[in-house]
Amino acid sequence: MESMNGPSKRVCIRVENGAVCTTGGRWDELNPEILASIFLRIVPPDLMVRLVVLVCRNWMETVSGPSCWTEIDLEDWCRKCCIAKRPHLIDPVVRKVVRQSRSTVQRLSTYRLGISGFSSAASRGRCLKTLQIPMCEVTDQVVEKHVRFLANLTFLDISYCLKITEKGLKAFGTQCKSLTHFRRNMPLWELPTSVEASDVNDQEALIIAETMKGLQRLDFAFNRLSDTGIEAILTQCKALTHLEIQGCWNVELKGDLEVRCKKLVDFRSPWIDEHEDNLVDSSDNEDESDDESIYSESPSSSDLD
């Protein structure tokens, strides 16, 4: 290819004996498997379907195949849609990219996923090992209907999913026996002046202890469990090494519970001291200013179509 400054140099990337080498060649003639590997490492999924497919036929065919969709991280794009007040775009896009994976997707990360998006992902999720769907609109009934396809999950994040209750949680625990990391952080609730019986709810903790005995890590911040739930989790989940229960104000860690918790590799206690509060507030302010600049460009209705 000639340019105004003379012939341009074309570079090709190839893998030999585990090393990445560069030689003269054409990017549009790269092996599809190598292209897919490069795209997975450096191109966000939203750009993959909006821009990469327009470069040339070879790139379009590569992106249209399943090799580019073993790991799908759409969380940032989903958040941009919500900020732009266009959450209706999320489910159609998730359905599209999951279809393109041809049931080979191993990781799916979204935000505010709806019922149709979850149903599509789950029905094609036999290879899924990581599923992160915070703030989703999925209900217990939907979980019970599709969870049988998610038996290979090792990491599940259903933080802030208020429509998933003990019933849905039990379905996940019963069907997903390979789980080693479970995240179920909940919205911040005000520190009570005194603990009433109605403020305590150990049901989810007891379900986790009963059905997720292989857990190695549990993120359970701002839940309403008490020492009863902690006791059950520590007793039943014998492989547990990481436990986060920050903001679980009902937990008192009486008896030997505190000693047992502190023997874990990583333990985040219920109480956040004033120094950490200040750090969190400062970090939130920085994040908000960053978000305003990052998401100043709203996704259009044609994005990812």
Side-chain angles (χ1 to χ4, degrees):
M1 179 176 66
E2 296 288 332
S3 69
M4 294 182 64
N5 297 321
S8 61
K9 183 177 181 180
R10 290 170 175 161
V11 178
C12 174
I13 296 179
R14 55 190 172 84
V15 179
E16 289 183 353
N17 299 323
V20 178
C21 308
T22 59
T23 63
R26 294 173 55 94
W27 274 89
D28 57 355
E29 293 177 353
L30 277 176
N31 182 289
E33 293 183 1
I34 296 178
L35 270 178
S37 179
I38 294 172
F39 293 158
L40 279 172
R41 286 167 171 77
I42 64 175
V43 183
D46 58 314
L47 296 182
M48 196 120 61
V49 295
R50 288 193 295 121
L51 301 179
V52 172
V53 293
L54 303 177
V55 174
C56 63
R57 180 181 296 275
N58 190 26
W59 286 27
M60 180 182 67
E61 292 175 350
T62 299
V63 171
S64 299
S67 299
C68 284
W69 304 106
T70 55
E71 296 192 11
I72 303 173
D73 185 355
L74 287 170
E75 183 173 353
D76 286 345
W77 180 83
C78 291
R79 289 179 181 271
K80 289 165 66 175
C81 287
C82 293
I83 291 174
K85 302 187 185 304
R86 293 181 176 178
H88 61 279
L89 298 176
I90 294 174
D91 277 26
V93 167
V94 171
R95 293 198 304 268
K96 177 177 180 178
V97 296
V98 168
R99 275 198 309 270
Q100 288 187 233
S101 78
R102 299 175 193 171
S103 300
T104 64
V105 57
Q106 297 179 23
R107 175 182 177 238
L108 175 63
S109 179
T110 67
Y111 179 76
R112 291 210 170 180
L113 185 67
I115 290 176
S116 66
F118 175 83
S119 300
S120 178
S123 63
R124 295 173 173 82
R126 289 178 175 82
C127 294
L128 262 178
K129 295 183 178 180
T130 296
L131 180 62
Q132 296 171 272
I133 52 172
M135 289 286 287
C136 75
E137 297 295 324
V138 178
T139 64
D140 291 337
Q141 292 74 20
V142 175
V143 171
E144 289 178 319
K145 181 178 180 180
H146 296 284
V147 71
R148 68 184 186 276
F149 300 116
L150 302 174
N152 291 317
L153 281 184
T154 59
F155 175 29
L156 174 64
D157 181 359
I158 53 171
S159 297
Y160 320 115
C161 299
L162 303 183
K163 295 183 180 180
I164 297 177
T165 67
E166 291 95 339
K167 195 174 181 181
L169 191 65
K170 187 171 184 178
F172 275 122
T174 302
Q175 296 291 330
C176 306
K177 290 301 185 182
S178 298
L179 278 178
T180 59
H181 185 181
F182 180 55
R183 181 175 294 157
R184 175 68 163 169
N185 298 325
M186 297 301 279
L188 174 67
W189 57 294
E190 186 177 354
L191 173 63
T193 56
S194 62
V195 177
E196 305 292 338
S198 59
D199 292 327
V200 178
N201 187 343
D202 283 305
Q203 287 306 306
E204 289 198 0
L206 295 177
I207 290 171
I208 290 170
E210 178 187 354
T211 64
M212 303 183 187
K213 298 182 180 181
L215 283 184
Q216 298 174 17
R217 177 166 183 165
L218 174 61
D219 302 319
F220 211 56
F222 296 101
N223 277 273
R224 297 178 182 264
L225 78 165
S226 67
D227 282 3
T228 300
I230 295 295
E231 167 71 30
I233 289 170
L234 292 176
T235 300
Q236 298 293 333
C237 303
K238 300 184 183 301
L240 195 68
T241 59
H242 294 68
L243 176 62
E244 178 178 351
I245 53 171
Q246 287 186 327
C248 297
W249 312 126
N250 297 331
V251 173
E252 300 178 88
L253 297 179
K254 290 183 176 180
D256 66 343
L257 284 182
E258 185 171 9
V259 173
R260 292 166 67 186
C261 286
K262 289 185 175 180
K263 287 182 179 179
L264 299 174
V265 173
D266 185 19
F267 172 61
R268 307 287 180 87
S269 71
W271 308 105
I272 306 173
D273 61 32
E274 293 182 0
H275 175 66
E276 289 177 322
D277 278 340
N278 291 334
L279 289 177
V280 170
D281 290 340
S282 174
S283 174
D284 287 344
N285 291 334
E286 291 177 0
D287 289 343
E288 288 176 2
S289 62
D290 289 344
D291 286 346
E292 289 178 359
S293 61
I294 291 173
Y295 300 142
S296 57
E297 182 181 350
S298 301
S300 66
S301 59
S302 61
D303 282 358
L304 300 181
D305 288 343

